[in-house]
Amino acid sequence: MAEFEEMSACETTLEMLKKAKEDEQETAFDRVQQQKGCAFGEAGSCCRICNMGPCRINPKKPDESRGVCGANMDTIVARNFARMVAGGSSAHSDHGRAVAETLIMAAKGEAVDYQIKDRIKLLEVAADLDVEIGDREINDIALEVGERCMAMFGQQEGELAFAQRAPEKRKEIWRNLGVFPRGIDREVVELMHRTHMGVDQDYENILVGAARTALSDGWGGSMIGTELQDIMFETPVPIEAKIDLGVLEEDQVNIVVHGHEPILSEMIVLAANLPEMQEKAERVGAKGINLAGICCTANEILTRHGIPVAGNVLQQEMALLTGAVEAMIVDVQCIYQGIGQIANCIHTDIITTSPKAKMPYAKHVEFHEDRALEIAKDIVSSAIDNFKNRGRVAIPDKTEALIAGFNHEYINYMLGGKFRASYRPLNDAVIDGRIRGVVGVVGCNNPRVKHDDIHVRVTRELIANGCLVVMTGCAAQSVAKAGLMLPEVAREICPQGLWEVCEAVGIPPVLHCGSCVDNSRILIACTAMVHEGGLGDDICELPVAGCAPEWMSEKAISIGEYFVASGVYTVFGVSWPTLGSKNVTEYLFERYNDLFKNTWDFEADPEKMVGKILSHIDSKREALGISAKRERVLYDMAMRRELEI
Ligand code: SF4
Ligand code: MSK
């Protein structure tokens, strides 16, 4: 095992890596050894956007050469970075668009398997979009909300409606810089145009443009995804569940959903629970149907239904290697082509469902919202039929419990109560030093670093230093597997102030807030902290930070960029894609501060990453005049009433 131990901090992953070797199966952990990387690509200094190239500039001698067109290192690096933002933004936003389309179909009665489950959220969103409520039918309101959201994609002028939710000072910054996002598609298209051969060749201008596109993701596409998913599938509330490969069941039909859009996975949940499907499973000799998730679609059905999570992105191949998965149903994003190769050697069916995402060695069953449940039943039924084809099964005997499903609405409720919903107690706990700061730890796994290890080390260190941590994506799953998403962890690891807050409210010190599009929930929570008062007038003044210690996806770069442009200091690990250009890197790491009042940063070492985050948080506390630990004041009812006035 020794050679494997450097690859992952996750016990079940190590177990399956050993099995992969015995079975002569290849995984991402093997392929990363074969792919040694390229110095030009790593520095961001390789350009292949026109056929005069590819052109490469030596990062060690950046001034000695240029591309055939004359593009210098700064232009090439900035264009590559901006194109990552455009790619990430387009993925989140196309997800948001699919959700808006489904809401419209549901409201029109054309997708009868979907309903409006969270009416309160619908009315809140309607109010933000200036949709008339009055005594209109709920479906009429939903239709107009869906159409307004859909219009945000094609909007050509004006300011994106959801971005109006940001603090006033932040919006002024965006207006003054000319980066207030217009339409979502427009921003992505414009950034692709600007970074086309022979267009924008001023690296500063390219990087300001990248911020506008990223903002159209965070305050646009991703936020549409999150809000409309809550409306159709309910806003999550804390729920207990299990995580890790041990959630797969030897005596049941195992179906794993993987990808991102809950439009599909919600229907699989429904279909798998139908009595007719359970009976069919029993007829083939199984004790039932066991549904589990991988990656962000797992987070969606975890936070709404408590469906167990088999693992994060680097465990998709591990789940198949158990030999216990009858079907892995995928839609879009983060799906390794490698799963097809493994599935080709075992009984598992990989079922692709989106016309946008097909792959070799997979069955394609196209998903259509107007026949959603019928198609989901067909898929579940075919998985049951596949149970008889199982070979040898080896499921790791390990799961971990977690509490998931936190978000702005629940923070508001749990801290303030149903009738006095408020961020006041959170802000007060930050002001009096019981909570040192709030840190978002988000993003993917990347086999170039030890799987899960950096997430867990960074998060553990942050809570040990009094920070409340909010998490999404695969990062959240890493930390949940390590047992840090349980309330009792607070007293074991956190300083007294933080554990007292956690125990008083009954929350873990690490809050699972959902999937990648749900990073928009963190923007809303930061804005609510500003609006509550006492912590400055803008997000950049809050003692908060963001990090993605094991990132790999373009989506992570888009998320980081919209966090920074929204005023959140953000540190990435693994490696940084602009190091070929000193100017571009300085612009993002230093001069963004003049523009957005906070910056990007890079730090691969987990201890140093935590050090940077804590010193940033402490500097913000200092600037707010709250660096000295204050006396704890216990509010009585009279004081609470006074606060409400
Ligand atoms: Fe080379 Fe310029 Fe073409 Fe890029 S755009 S490949 S630097 S010639
Ligand atoms: S799924 S984007 S690996 S977090 Fe959202 Fe995980 Fe990263 Fe995909």
Side-chain angles (χ1 to χ4, degrees):
M1 291 287 274
E3 63 183 290
F4 295 117
E5 271 161 17
E6 283 315 301
M7 296 180 183
S8 177
C10 166
E11 280 174 39
T12 61
T13 299
L14 293 176
E15 195 176 328
M16 295 324 293
L17 281 174
K18 194 162 170 252
K19 181 167 188 297
K21 192 167 185 188
E22 284 162 14
D23 294 355
E24 297 185 351
Q25 289 279 10
E26 183 192 85
T27 72
F29 292 91
D30 301 305
R31 293 186 292 268
V32 77
Q33 309 294 331
Q34 297 151 17
Q35 292 292 339
K36 289 293 174 209
C38 145
F40 301 96
E42 270 176 30
S45 67
C46 171
C47 183
R48 47 172 297 276
I49 64 171
C50 94
N51 203 33
M52 292 191 288
C55 303
R56 308 188 306 179
I57 299 187
N58 185 345
K60 292 195 180 126
K61 297 174 188 164
D63 301 324
E64 283 186 10
S65 62
R66 288 176 175 247
V68 176
C69 66
N72 65 12
M73 180 67 115
D74 299 338
T75 303
I76 290 173
V77 171
R79 279 198 303 225
N80 284 334
F81 178 82
R83 284 189 164 218
M84 291 182 89
V85 171
S89 178
S90 67
H92 286 145
S93 299
D94 215 30
H95 170 166
R97 187 198 328 267
V99 183
E101 281 171 342
T102 309
L103 178 67
I104 290 171
M105 289 178 75
K108 284 181 174 170
E110 294 168 358
V112 293
D113 301 318
Y114 299 93
Q115 289 95 35
I116 311 304
K117 287 199 176 155
D118 192 335
R119 291 177 173 226
I120 295 173
K121 183 84 181 239
L122 173 67
L123 299 183
E124 284 168 358
V125 172
D128 281 355
L129 296 176
D130 286 330
V131 171
E132 192 195 323
I133 295 171
D135 54 5
R136 294 172 78 193
E137 290 286 326
I138 207 77
N139 276 342
D140 288 346
I141 299 170
L143 178 59
E144 196 173 338
V145 164
E147 287 173 344
R148 293 270 179 113
C149 288
M150 191 60 97
M152 283 191 229
F153 291 93
Q155 189 179 319
Q156 299 303 320
E157 290 300 336
E159 298 177 343
L160 212 53
F162 279 152
Q164 298 299 343
R165 293 168 160 184
E168 286 307 318
K169 262 186 141 176
R170 184 57 26 187
K171 290 189 283 187
E172 275 315 299
I173 287 173
W174 295 340
R175 287 183 188 117
N176 291 337
L177 291 171
V179 301
F180 207 115
R182 298 159 293 184
I184 299 158
D185 290 353
R186 174 164 193 174
E187 301 308 350
V188 174
V189 169
E190 183 174 303
L191 196 58
M192 290 304 286
H193 177 196
R194 284 167 71 154
T195 55
H196 184 274
M197 187 269 159
V199 187
D200 200 345
Q201 285 155 117
D202 173 337
Y203 74 90
E204 296 184 3
N205 204 39
I206 293 169
L207 297 175
V208 173
R212 192 177 206 177
T213 302
L215 287 169
S216 80
D217 171 359
W219 297 88
S222 282
M223 201 169 278
I224 289 171
T226 294
E227 298 292 66
L228 303 193
Q229 283 167 190
D230 283 354
I231 289 169
M232 277 194 289
F233 309 129
E234 284 187 317
T235 305
V237 292
I239 191 163
E240 195 176 348
K242 284 201 166 9
I243 187 165
D244 216 341
L245 291 171
V247 303
L248 298 173
E249 299 284 355
E250 188 156 359
D251 51 7
Q252 297 193 37
V253 173
N254 288 301
I255 299 177
V256 175
V257 285
H258 172 21
H260 276 77
E261 295 175 357
I263 301 164
L264 165 73
S265 50
E266 282 282 329
M267 286 301 124
I268 300 290
V269 173
L270 218 58
N273 282 307
L274 290 171
E276 64 195 82
M277 290 296 149
Q278 297 288 339
E279 283 158 21
K280 179 169 177 175
E282 281 164 29
R283 282 201 299 278
V284 299
K287 287 209 172 127
I289 301 169
N290 179 46
L291 188 61
I294 293 266
C295 256
C296 273
T297 214
N299 288 333
E300 299 283 2
I301 52 176
L302 160 75
T303 56
R304 295 195 175 88
H305 304 285
I307 301 287
V309 179
N312 48 18
V313 66
L314 267 175
Q315 287 177 288
Q316 55 189 289
E317 291 169 312
M318 308 300 136
L320 299 189
L321 289 164
T322 63
V325 177
E326 275 55 61
M328 182 175 274
I329 306 159
V330 303
D331 54 9
V332 288
Q333 301 170 23
C334 305
I335 299 146
Y336 292 174
Q337 191 169 336
I339 60 173
Q341 279 166 289
I342 296 178
N344 194 36
C345 305
I346 55 176
H347 85 300
T348 306
D349 284 333
I350 305 293
I351 302 178
T352 54
T353 55
S354 167
K356 295 172 206 162
K358 298 184 180 181
M359 61 195 288
Y361 307 120
K363 283 188 191 172
H364 188 69
V365 180
E366 202 149 299
F367 191 73
H368 297 278
E369 289 74 5
D370 56 348
R371 294 189 293 114
L373 187 57
E374 179 194 328
I375 296 168
K377 277 162 64 178
D378 286 347
I379 293 172
V380 170
S381 183
S382 78
I384 298 169
D385 290 337
N386 198 21
F387 183 71
K388 63 176 183 301
N389 298 322
R390 254 196 206 176
R392 190 167 64 92
V393 165
I395 303 172
D397 182 21
K398 183 177 179 296
T399 63
E400 187 57 71
L402 80 154
I403 312 277
F406 296 93
N407 47 52
H408 157 70
E409 287 80 358
Y410 194 76
I411 294 171
N412 212 16
Y413 162 71
M414 76 189 173
L415 292 172
K418 194 166 184 176
F419 299 105
R420 291 181 190 281
S422 163
Y423 268 58
R424 192 70 255 157
L426 173 65
N427 281 26
D428 284 343
V430 173
I431 290 166
D432 69 23
R434 281 175 295 152
I435 295 177
R436 185 166 175 179
V438 182
V439 185
V441 183
V442 308
C444 326
N445 295 118
N446 186 330
R448 293 202 181 275
V449 295
K450 188 172 175 180
H451 170 226
D452 287 350
D453 183 57
I454 310 184
H455 285 140
V456 175
R457 285 163 69 185
V458 164
T459 305
R460 188 180 278 274
E461 195 74 15
L462 285 170
I463 61 172
N465 280 284
C467 293
L468 183 68
V469 172
V470 292
M471 301 195 74
T472 59
C474 294
Q477 296 166 347
S478 301
V479 167
K481 283 186 283 167
L484 294 179
M485 287 190 173
L486 294 167
E488 52 268 31
V489 165
R491 202 182 270 252
E492 287 162 19
I493 300 180
C494 306
Q496 188 176 354
L498 180 55
W499 69 248
E500 278 180 356
V501 173
C502 291
E503 284 196 356
V505 193
I507 54 167
V510 186
L511 304 180
H512 190 313
C513 298
S515 67
C516 296
V517 290
D518 293 334
N519 285 307
S520 62
R521 297 190 195 277
I522 299 177
L523 296 178
I524 296 292
C526 288
T527 303
M529 287 176 80
V530 171
H531 286 154
E532 190 59 51
L535 291 171
D537 298 329
D538 190 4
I539 294 171
C540 62
E541 294 177 62
L542 297 171
V544 303
C547 64
E550 299 183 25
W551 75 281
M552 62 88 189
S553 162
E554 289 174 328
K555 292 181 288 174
I557 289 288
S558 182
I559 292 166
E561 180 76 0
Y562 73 64
F563 265 76
V564 175
S566 300
V568 180
Y569 167 73
T570 302
V571 197
F572 270 37
V574 189
S575 59
W576 181 252
T578 72
L579 291 179
S581 164
K582 195 166 170 286
N583 284 336
V584 169
T585 307
E586 264 178 24
Y587 198 77
L588 296 169
F589 288 16
E590 292 171 27
R591 286 166 54 213
Y592 254 24
N593 202 37
D594 302 333
L595 278 60
F596 299 112
K597 312 297 173 206
N598 260 321
T599 65
W600 278 100
D601 207 343
F602 163 64
E603 180 53 68
D605 179 274
E607 274 82 40
K608 288 185 188 157
M609 180 183 279
V610 172
K612 283 185 169 195
I613 290 170
L614 293 178
S615 67
H616 171 79
I617 283 175
D618 290 346
S619 73
K620 291 292 164 185
R621 297 188 66 87
E622 182 93 37
L624 287 165
I626 56 169
S627 50
K629 199 169 181 218
R630 290 212 195 160
E631 271 307 300
R632 182 174 170 194
V633 180
L634 292 170
Y635 283 92
D636 59 21
M637 279 315 288
M639 292 165 86
R640 269 179 173 271
R641 270 186 224 110
E642 210 174 311
L643 278 172
E644 302 294 321
I645 295 166

